[in-house]
Amino acid sequence: MIPDRIERVLDLAHPPAKVWAAITTAEGLGTWFGKQASIDLRPGGAGRLTWPDNSIELRVERVDEPRVFAFTWPVDGRPGDQRRTYVEFTLEPAGDGTRLTVVETGFAQFADDTAYRGNSDGWGRELAELVEYLDAA
């Protein structure tokens, strides 16, 4: 049985507005989540995350500023596959900082756990870069 859900929770020492900007603007996303980004921040809007050797198109699904941002995207390494996973960022004030919960679902639709394992490892790396970005700003 393939796990369907990846969940990460971070307690960040930054206010929700700063975290929101980091996860919803091209400048923020292009610094910690890839090397370049574009985003049309409205439901149905398109976005692109670009790394030196790859780029991924995403579709904005939910924008509830400053609390919830969600998108769908194809699973990397499956060219031509139209199936997508759903990624949701939830921000909650926590003292002077923010509790950020990131959940990605939709892996049970695949025949093996390659996408789940790859994205699970990837979220560990990318969210560490988010913390570095926020701490440096």
Side-chain angles (χ1 to χ4, degrees):
M1 186 167 167
I2 299 167
D4 193 53
R5 177 185 181 96
I6 297 167
E7 182 171 340
R8 301 283 187 267
V9 178
L10 297 168
D11 287 316
L12 303 167
H14 304 281
K18 184 174 180 180
V19 177
W20 180 261
I23 65 172
T24 62
T25 65
E27 177 184 342
L29 289 167
T31 302
W32 70 270
F33 200 6
K35 300 301 175 202
Q36 185 177 5
S38 64
I39 186 91
D40 178 1
L41 192 62
R42 62 182 174 83
R48 178 185 289 271
L49 300 172
T50 303
W51 292 265
D53 59 346
N54 187 14
S55 69
I56 294 179
E57 301 276 334
L58 58 89
R59 182 177 57 239
V60 175
E61 300 293 341
R62 184 172 175 197
V63 179
D64 182 8
E65 186 176 350
R67 204 177 76 66
V68 180
F69 169 59
F71 61 83
T72 56
W73 61 354
V75 174
D76 189 31
R78 295 180 185 257
D81 192 330
Q82 298 301 308
R83 293 175 290 184
R84 303 170 73 82
T85 58
Y86 178 84
V87 177
E88 186 169 274
F89 295 83
T90 304
L91 292 74
E92 300 173 71
D96 291 336
T98 304
R99 173 163 286 172
L100 175 65
T101 303
V102 181
V103 176
E104 183 174 11
T105 57
F107 297 100
Q109 66 186 311
F110 300 104
D112 61 53
D113 69 351
T114 304
Y116 174 84
R117 286 184 291 112
N119 285 28
S120 185
D121 291 344
W123 281 116
R125 288 187 306 275
E126 297 297 347
L127 292 174
E129 290 183 25
L130 171 61
V131 171
E132 289 176 21
Y133 169 73
L134 288 167
D135 288 349

